[in-house]
Amino acid sequence: MAKTHVTMKVNGAEVEGLVEPRTLLVHFIRENLQMTGTHIGCETTHCGACTVDIDGMSVKSCTMFAVQAQGSDITTVEGMANADGTLSALQEGFRMMHGLQCGFCTPGMIVRAHRLLKENPSPSEPEIRMGISGNICRCTGYQNIVRAIQYAAAKINGVEFQEAAE
Amino acid sequence: MIPGSFSYHRPASVADAVKLLSDLGEDARPLAGGHSLVPMMKLRLATPAHLIDLHGIAALKGISRDGNNLVIGAMTTQHELLASDEVAKAMPILHEAALLIADPQVRYRGTIGGNVANGDPGNDMPALMMTLGATYRLEGSGGARDVAAADFYQGAYFTALEPGEIMTSISVPVPAAGHGYAYEKLKRKVGDYATAAAAVVLTMSSGKVATCAIGLTNVHETPLLAADAAKAVIGTSLDAATLKKAAIAAEAIMAPAADARGPVEYRKHVGGIMVTRALQRAASRAK
Ligand SMILES: Cc1cc2nc3c(=O)[nH]c(=O)nc-3n(C[C@H](O)[C@H](O)[C@H](O)COP(=O)(O)OP(=O)(O)OC[C@H]3O[C@@H](n4cnc5c(N)ncnc54)[C@H](O)[C@@H]3O)c2cc1C
Ligand code: FES
Ligand code: FES
């Protein structure tokens, strides 16, 4: 099948590549761009490990073709740190609150939580749980992931992070 | 899991899309949000030789009011339905049901046109569209035609869409002011398809049900209108005996497949419960 030339912006940089129409976006990111932070967990559009941010939307990149991303603006987990290279509030939250064990789901979780907090900067706990319902974690039981996102929300809003009473 | 090879087309107008579809014939498929089609392609359950991506067609997007109808472009996403004030105000059941579809990532991509055109009995929008009395606009090389949602579904993945046609918009009559509504969906977990679901839209007058429509999701190879169940509640105040009668009438037309969501008897039983709950919640909301 003839290859198509695609260009898009990934983490602020213009990138290009040759892809078959059937090349999934996640494979383009991992293999052509060599950015392996975006993971493949299930391939059936359930786990969310492959989540990237495209033009202001959280998208499972295993269920979109690279040709469809022509001209779009994409952020992956590699683009989540602060401009000076320090950890963003979300990354710090996952570290401080032990929001990961094996870490396989973490890139997708962080990218999804990034969009969730953009749309709703002060989500309630149920809103966080609904907001990350497209991301499956097999290790932590979500409690610490929720706390990590609460930590980040507090930091972004400039308020002190309050642990919910048990 | 990588799909089989195909050629990719991105037409800029409905006319171009229709032309491509009819020129390329049976091996061409429209691609909307891709959130049913791409997983099927990865499993090689679908192997289209040509994909006609509808994302480049601006005319297929957006929600507008046309008299007493809400006209929703086929490429309007589930996320956009949730973000629409017009939908929340005029058709809150559409908002309620869209929120129960899959998860945020799927809703950003998945479209209403793809959801209703897919023909999967597990999709939530078809039964809702039948309940609301919606009409689908289909366009092919011979022009446009309107098909009632109630006449569209003919079998699992088998619909009234003819080869070469695409669905361009969905026209939904706005329910009467003060109507009650509910979409009750039983699922195994957040993001799952329904084990069984029921949509109810009704109006009340002096404490009694004046009009009622009931739709059923995933309890048959097509979505269903439970007409006898709806008839059973008209003129009543939804007392326990009436609710039971309605559930039995609804269960009588269910013929679900036994799958990982449960055996046939179980799915019919919970289908009846969804009808009961939706009726009660709809009545409690009616003014
Ligand atoms: C993990 C997961 C969970 C899900 N859970 C649910 C759920 O709970 N409830 C639910 O309802 N859905 C669910 N879905 C399906 C989701 O809502 C899909 O987005 C939807 O079924 C199809 O819409 P689409 O825009 O993605 O269509 P596509 O996948 O692009 O297309 C589906 C089919 O419709 C055809 N088609 C699409 N648009 C048109 C058009 N305009 N004219 C003619 N033919 C067209 C395509 O050719 C294809 O055959 C889930 C999906 C996933 C991945
Ligand atoms: S790899 Fe994309 S959702 Fe699991
Ligand atoms: S930390 Fe292991 S899958 Fe989430």
Side-chain angles (χ1 to χ4, degrees):
Chain A
M1 193 59 58
K3 290 198 173 182
T4 308
H5 183 239
V6 290
T7 56
M8 60 194 85
K9 200 189 247 182
V10 177
N11 301 324
E14 294 294 341
V15 300
E16 58 174 344
L18 284 177
V19 295
E20 282 186 61
R22 66 175 176 162
T23 304
L24 296 163
L25 179 60
V26 70
H27 292 130
F28 177 72
I29 291 171
R30 288 178 56 85
E31 288 154 31
N32 294 52
L33 304 182
Q34 297 278 302
M35 291 185 187
T36 52
T38 304
H39 290 167
I40 301 172
C42 67
E43 303 219 60
T44 54
T45 325
H46 280 90
C47 76
C50 64
T51 301
V52 298
D53 202 76
I54 306 183
D55 298 331
M57 296 180 285
S58 302
V59 174
K60 293 178 181 176
S61 59
C62 73
T63 307
M64 181 173 164
F65 298 109
V67 282
Q68 294 188 281
Q70 167 61 33
S72 59
D73 190 347
I74 298 181
T75 307
T76 68
V77 70
E78 286 88 350
M80 282 287 137
N82 296 323
D84 63 2
T86 55
L87 294 186
S88 66
L90 266 167
Q91 290 171 311
E92 196 180 294
F94 273 76
R95 193 173 80 131
M96 297 296 290
M97 296 296 121
H98 311 288
L100 63 149
Q101 286 190 35
C102 78
F104 197 83
C105 67
T106 311
M109 287 283 182
I110 290 180
V111 175
R112 170 60 199 141
H114 165 77
R115 182 53 47 199
L116 171 67
L117 292 182
K118 287 255 187 254
E119 290 183 353
N120 181 358
S122 308
S124 64
E125 180 175 337
E127 283 169 344
I128 292 175
R129 288 183 182 272
M130 285 303 283
I132 60 167
S133 59
N135 295 75
I136 291 173
C137 175
R138 290 284 137 142
C139 298
T140 78
Y142 302 97
Q143 196 59 36
N144 288 349
I145 293 171
V146 172
R147 286 167 69 217
I149 297 170
Q150 288 171 326
Y151 175 101
K155 180 151 188 193
I156 291 165
N157 294 323
V159 301
E160 206 182 324
F161 173 61
Q162 299 272 347
E163 283 277 356
E166 288 289 311
Chain B
M1 280 193 283
I2 296 174
S5 289
F6 60 86
S7 305
Y8 175 77
H9 310 262
R10 194 180 162 96
S13 70
V14 171
D16 288 350
V18 164
K19 179 156 185 350
L20 275 166
L21 273 177
S22 41
D23 289 353
L24 296 169
E26 294 247 323
D27 288 341
R29 280 277 273 279
L31 173 67
H35 274 53
S36 289
L37 185 52
V38 177
M40 300 258 281
M41 289 171 64
K42 289 205 282 183
L43 296 168
R44 309 276 172 131
L45 294 173
T47 50
H50 299 272
L51 280 189
I52 318 294
D53 189 348
L54 304 179
H55 280 93
I57 308 175
L60 295 179
K61 279 253 177 196
I63 303 169
S64 62
R65 186 80 180 236
D66 176 14
N68 193 39
N69 292 315
L70 218 51
V71 180
I72 307 172
M75 287 298 286
T76 305
T77 63
Q78 291 144 18
H79 181 79
E80 286 163 342
L81 291 176
L82 288 170
S84 158
D85 289 338
E86 184 89 61
V87 167
K89 245 188 285 137
M91 230 168 263
I93 192 171
L94 184 48
H95 185 99
E96 181 165 296
L99 202 51
L100 293 173
I101 292 178
D103 57 55
Q105 284 97 316
V106 172
R107 294 194 293 261
Y108 279 115
R109 296 284 299 167
T111 66
I112 186 162
N115 198 293
V116 301
N118 194 26
D120 181 340
N123 282 139
D124 287 297
M125 289 295 168
L128 179 57
M129 290 302 132
M130 285 167 59
T131 308
L132 288 164
T135 305
Y136 303 152
R137 168 141 303 184
L138 313 180
E139 286 194 39
S141 48
R145 62 190 180 112
D146 291 324
V147 176
D151 299 330
F152 185 75
Y153 300 98
Q154 300 172 349
Y157 299 99
F158 186 54
T159 68
L161 264 172
E162 294 289 343
E165 276 184 329
I166 63 169
M167 186 180 297
T168 52
S169 66
I170 296 157
S171 179
V172 201
V174 172
H179 73 279
Y181 65 91
Y183 191 67
E184 283 286 344
K185 175 174 173 179
L186 180 75
K187 45 195 177 143
R188 296 170 301 179
K189 65 169 191 57
V190 172
D192 192 18
Y193 290 93
T195 300
V200 167
V201 174
L202 53 70
T203 55
M204 306 281 288
S205 160
S206 328
K208 297 220 151 76
V209 179
T211 65
C212 179
I214 305 175
L216 305 173
T217 296
N218 219 12
V219 288
H220 197 275
E221 60 169 4
T222 64
L224 296 174
L225 272 181
D228 288 343
K231 215 183 287 159
V233 302
I234 302 233
T236 76
S237 55
L238 287 176
D239 52 283
T242 305
L243 286 171
K244 184 139 201 217
K245 236 165 80 185
I248 290 170
E251 282 173 48
I253 60 168
M254 296 178 193
D259 63 12
R261 291 180 179 81
V264 172
E265 282 313 311
Y266 169 75
R267 294 184 67 180
K268 285 169 76 164
H269 177 67
V270 295
I273 294 173
M274 292 306 108
V275 169
T276 309
R277 286 189 190 162
L279 281 168
Q280 284 175 306
R281 210 151 55 83
S284 74
R285 278 165 161 169
K287 295 195 186 79

